[in-house]
Amino acid sequence: MTQAARPLSGLKVVELGTLIAGPFCTRVLAEFGAEVIKVEAPDGGDPLRKWRKLYEGTSLWWYVQARNKKSVTANLKHPRGVEFVRRLVAEADILVENFRPGVLEKLGLGWGALKAVNPGLVMVRLSGFGQSGPYKDQPGFGAVGESMGGLRYVTGFPDRPPVRTGISIGDSIAALWGAIGALMALRHKEVNGGAGQVVDVALYEAVFAMMESLVPEFDVFGFVRERTGNIMPGITPSNTHTTRDGKHVTIGANGDAIFRRFMLAIGRPELAEDPGLADNAGRDARRDEIYRLIDEWCAGHDEAEVLRVLAAAEVPSSRVYSAVDMFADPQFLFREMLLSARLPDGTPFRMPGIVPKLSETPGGADWIGPELGAHTDAVLAALGYDAADIADLRATGAV
């Protein structure tokens, strides 16, 4: 599949972002054909280049997060660096930024200034608390958004303090809302003849939007959802259990017919036929009893046997996968969720595949995250800067 055949082919996106939320938003757009030009500071670029596990001095995460992107450098403390960015944005369809509110305005790159040079621009603004309100000027990373948005309060076990998930989920959720918002704004322009607009995504709101029934349950009943460990509150059975060989299996048997098949499969026909357990309300009322018997059954069998029995009974279940499991799993491999690529020195490595799967115009990964400023000269030349201009920009520290 060529880039020309991808659904976002022809879109030009400028990224003024670092680390996770902004760059993940543009990564999605780049994977589906948009030309993404990432603007980085000349003195080191995106800090993500040095985060987590490094290979020959560069983060493996960087190679994934910046795939399909072009890297240019611009010194936003230099007026000519700012002018370069302004000219770049003037030709763009989308700008994605995750500065603290007010920073771009101080640089002369706020919405008013950019709209004047590009009325059709869609500007995606990702920040901790949004572009308005009493908290807007406060710094806010994903961890803060997860805490304020309610996710951390309900994560963990009731007898222990709140915990985080093992990834920066708040940033990633916000990034996806940003990509959705950008495409909505573009659709409005194309179909309704609308102009450009700002897509304002606050990290805490992105997380809060995922909090299911938390708001109406508190508002109507005064119910505060608390930490409940691995179970799904109010929906039974759905939990993680430990097998005889010390492995962990997640079982979701909360459908009425599924629960009946599950009980028959583990040799408990009396529970399969119990009218008090025929619906979720009845099962949830006897949650402790049900989880105790499932724990006992799993503890009496090795993981392979647990999964075999549940698969035969068509009960949704899975081992709790580590990277080791993923790399050997036929479903991951069949659906190309482990893409092969090569690092700059030729060393092969694998990276996550493309999501979602489009039947006619699928996305792809054409190259890994580039070296800092690898495309600066080419992008400047495309904007009309000649060789002397480019040399002077470099000499004066503007790029």
Side-chain angles (χ1 to χ4, degrees):
M1 176 64 62
T2 65
Q3 272 197 310
R6 291 181 186 155
L8 302 184
S9 177
L11 284 181
K12 179 176 285 188
V13 180
V14 175
E15 178 198 309
L16 290 174
T18 58
L19 299 177
I20 305 173
F24 186 36
C25 175
T26 57
R27 167 186 152 186
V28 174
L29 303 178
E31 289 169 350
F32 286 90
E35 178 189 13
V36 174
I37 300 173
K38 180 178 178 66
V39 179
E40 301 185 75
D43 54 348
D46 190 332
L48 191 72
R49 289 177 175 271
K50 300 296 181 182
W51 274 29
R52 290 292 186 78
K53 298 291 186 181
L54 307 185
Y55 181 85
E56 300 293 331
T58 299
S59 165
L60 291 170
W61 188 4
W62 160 260
Y63 288 126
V64 176
Q65 189 80 314
R67 62 188 180 190
N68 288 12
K69 299 181 187 179
K70 298 177 180 178
S71 170
V72 304
T73 56
N75 182 357
L76 297 184
K77 297 178 181 178
H78 193 293
R80 295 186 69 193
V82 172
E83 177 58 25
F84 167 33
V85 172
R86 186 179 291 109
R87 288 176 62 173
L88 192 58
V89 174
E91 297 187 356
D93 298 289
I94 301 170
L95 168 65
V96 176
E97 64 94 6
N98 63 348
F99 285 93
R100 197 186 304 185
V103 171
L104 287 186
E105 282 72 12
K106 291 177 182 177
L107 295 171
L109 296 172
W111 171 243
L114 296 179
K115 183 180 179 181
V117 299
N118 186 350
L121 180 68
V122 172
M123 186 177 190
V124 178
R125 312 198 75 171
L126 295 138
S127 63
F129 305 99
Q131 301 298 312
S132 59
Y135 296 176
K136 70 180 180 65
D137 295 324
Q138 296 183 21
F141 287 147
V144 175
E146 293 162 26
S147 298
M148 186 174 173
L151 178 61
R152 295 217 178 177
Y153 188 85
V154 301
T155 304
F157 287 83
D159 59 340
R160 302 173 218 173
V163 298
R164 62 165 295 160
T165 57
I167 59 170
S168 303
I169 190 70
D171 288 288
S172 300
I173 292 171
L176 295 175
W177 283 123
I180 292 168
L183 297 177
M184 288 178 177
L186 288 177
R187 174 71 173 172
H188 172 61
K189 282 176 55 181
E190 294 168 357
V191 175
N192 301 322
Q197 61 181 299
V198 173
V199 177
D200 181 359
V201 179
L203 268 65
Y204 85 94
E205 292 170 354
V207 174
F208 179 66
M210 311 299 291
M211 293 305 296
E212 299 178 345
S213 57
L214 180 147
V215 167
E217 289 177 351
F218 175 72
D219 193 46
V220 175
F221 298 120
F223 174 79
V224 177
R225 182 167 169 178
E226 301 286 346
R227 292 180 291 286
T228 52
N230 288 322
I231 72 170
M232 183 177 291
I235 301 173
T236 302
S238 181
N239 202 350
T240 299
H241 307 270
T242 302
T243 61
R244 183 169 58 191
D245 51 350
K247 303 295 180 63
H248 305 291
V249 173
T250 296
I251 303 172
N254 43 283
D256 297 345
I258 296 172
F259 177 77
R260 186 176 185 279
R261 294 199 302 271
F262 183 25
M263 292 299 100
L264 291 173
I266 66 174
R268 300 302 298 265
E270 77 282 6
L271 298 180
E273 304 301 335
D274 188 335
L277 300 178
D279 62 19
N280 181 69
R283 291 190 296 273
D284 198 53
R286 293 165 61 180
R287 176 196 305 164
D288 292 345
E289 171 193 349
I290 292 171
Y291 283 139
R292 184 167 54 251
L293 72 90
I294 298 173
D295 279 338
E296 291 172 356
W297 179 75
C298 288
H301 301 80
D302 289 346
E303 177 197 57
E305 176 66 6
V306 169
L307 293 173
R308 185 195 67 76
V309 170
L310 297 180
E314 298 184 352
V315 174
S317 59
S318 174
R319 66 166 52 97
V320 177
Y321 278 51
S322 71
V324 173
D325 301 307
M326 296 171 187
F327 270 57
D329 188 85
Q331 184 72 12
F332 273 80
L333 299 175
F334 185 88
R335 287 179 60 83
E336 299 183 333
M337 286 311 299
L338 297 169
L339 297 181
S340 296
R342 291 189 179 275
L343 294 166
D345 67 356
T347 299
F349 83 115
R350 280 183 279 184
M351 57 183 177
I354 305 298
V355 178
K357 310 291 187 190
L358 274 63
S359 63
E360 300 301 323
T361 55
D366 301 302
W367 65 86
I368 61 175
E371 293 183 6
L372 179 62
H375 304 92
T376 304
D377 286 6
V379 171
L380 283 166
L383 290 174
Y385 291 84
D386 62 24
D389 292 329
I390 295 172
D392 189 51
L393 287 170
R394 291 194 177 281
T396 57
V399 300

